[in-house]
Amino acid sequence: MGICNQDAIKQLQSMIENVNKQQKITFQNMHQGYPTETLAKFLKARDWNVAKAHKMVRNCICSVQCKQIKEVDGQILSSFSHTRVYHGVKNHVTQIRLEGLNFKESMRK
């Protein structure tokens, strides 16, 4: 184990302080007021290896940020009228098919 638990937590906290502002905000949302306990969970999951726990925290932060981006994208897409888009595409495809049939009919004559 090498490092005392409290020392490992302090070391990981100092590493988390060096991330960018957006990642700090994401981490604050993750720990919900319990930063020490959250970091202890990451350290425990990685057998108190600070480097591995830091990598795990960073990956978790990135995952949360990706989910937030996907949620925003989903909200943007849901604001569009899907039926309007569907009918627009359907009408366009139908028009192309009709033009193709007219072309075939003109070729037969």
Side-chain angles (χ1 to χ4, degrees):
M1 183 158 89
I3 299 177
C4 176
N5 296 350
Q6 290 300 320
D7 290 339
I9 291 171
K10 287 179 184 177
Q11 194 176 6
L12 187 55
Q13 280 176 333
S14 68
M15 294 171 94
I16 295 298
E17 293 295 319
N18 295 327
V19 298
N20 67 41
K21 184 179 178 181
Q22 188 60 39
Q23 290 174 331
K24 283 182 186 177
I25 292 169
T26 302
F27 181 69
Q28 288 172 351
N29 292 335
M30 280 173 42
H31 69 63
Q32 299 178 353
Y34 299 97
T36 305
E37 292 81 357
T38 302
L39 293 177
K41 288 180 181 181
F42 282 102
L43 284 162
K44 188 175 180 182
R46 294 296 175 237
D47 294 324
W48 299 93
N49 183 316
V50 177
K52 288 181 180 179
H54 180 251
K55 182 178 179 182
M56 188 178 180
V57 171
R58 295 284 304 258
N59 288 341
C60 187
I61 289 171
C62 289
S63 294
V64 169
Q65 288 176 330
C66 288
K67 288 177 185 177
Q68 291 170 343
I69 290 169
K70 287 180 183 177
E71 287 175 9
V72 170
D73 289 347
Q75 291 171 356
I76 291 170
L77 288 176
S78 67
S79 67
F80 290 114
S81 172
H82 293 296
T83 54
R84 220 176 60 204
V85 172
Y86 170 76
H87 288 296
V89 170
K90 183 180 174 188
N91 291 340
H92 183 70
V93 169
T94 303
Q95 183 180 358
I96 291 171
R97 285 184 181 157
L98 289 175
E99 289 173 0
L101 289 175
N102 290 339
F103 178 75
K104 287 181 183 177
E105 289 295 318
S106 68
M107 293 300 284
R108 287 184 186 168
K109 294 179 181 179

